[in-house]
Amino acid sequence: MESDLKLKNIMVGSFSFKVNHSLETKNYGDIDISIRPVARFKEGSISEGLLELKVTLFDEDFVKNNKPFYIDMTVFSEFEDDTITEEPNIFDRYYANIISMTYPYIRSYISSVTGLFGISSVNIPAINVFKLLQELQEND
């Protein structure tokens, strides 16, 4: 089945990276990861939207908690389905797909950038988007 959902644009909104210089940065162990999606409609449209996907690895207390680094990244992706003229809107129809399409860009960016920063490349795990959405709904 072909989808009318289109990724129009994706860009990094912010990126923060800090290293704990008192620890070896070659073996990270389990990476603590937080993923927070926020959906916004383009003004006056139910067929166009912006996803803000914030990903945090470890937390701001990474040094105190003996973690190797801290990454806080926000990516914005714009989507549209110009066939939508009535409810359900773009996010009701495609929210999980939109997250699934955006997340690999974050994985790739983090892997590339961390390698360029002089530490071993960080490869964050793939996610089960349906499980993520269920957990977010239960915690809200």
Side-chain angles (χ1 to χ4, degrees), residues 6-32:
K6 296 174 194 78
L7 173 61
K8 291 175 52 176
N9 189 27
I10 188 162
M11 64 184 282
V12 175
S14 65
F15 186 85
S16 177
F17 176 72
K18 298 175 185 175
V19 174
N20 184 348
H21 294 285
S22 64
L23 289 179
E24 176 97 13
T25 55
K26 293 187 191 296
N27 184 9
Y28 307 121
D30 290 335
I31 295 176
D32 300 334

Side-chain angles (χ1 to χ4, degrees), residues 85-96:
T85 57
E86 59 186 42
E87 294 291 341
N89 63 59
I90 191 168
F91 292 112
D92 288 343
R93 291 181 193 210
Y94 301 116
Y95 195 42

Side-chain angles (χ1 to χ4, degrees), residues 17 19 21 25-26 28 111-121:
F17 176 72
V19 174
H21 294 285
T25 55
K26 293 187 191 296
Y28 307 121
S111 177
S112 298
V113 170
T114 52
L116 292 171
F117 285 161
I119 67 170
S120 297
S121 292

Side-chain angles (χ1 to χ4, degrees), residues 35-74:
I35 302 167
R36 285 279 181 214
V38 177
R40 296 188 184 100
F41 292 101
K42 182 176 177 183
E43 190 172 327
S45 176
I46 63 169
S47 64
E48 295 180 81
L50 178 76
L51 176 70
E52 175 184 336
L53 193 57
K54 181 174 180 158
V55 174
T56 304
L57 305 184
F58 300 113
D59 62 29
E60 292 183 87
D61 293 327
F62 69 104
V63 173
K64 184 176 83 176
N65 294 329
N66 290 322
K67 301 298 181 178
F69 58 84
Y70 167 70
I71 291 177
D72 184 52
M73 178 179 188
T74 303

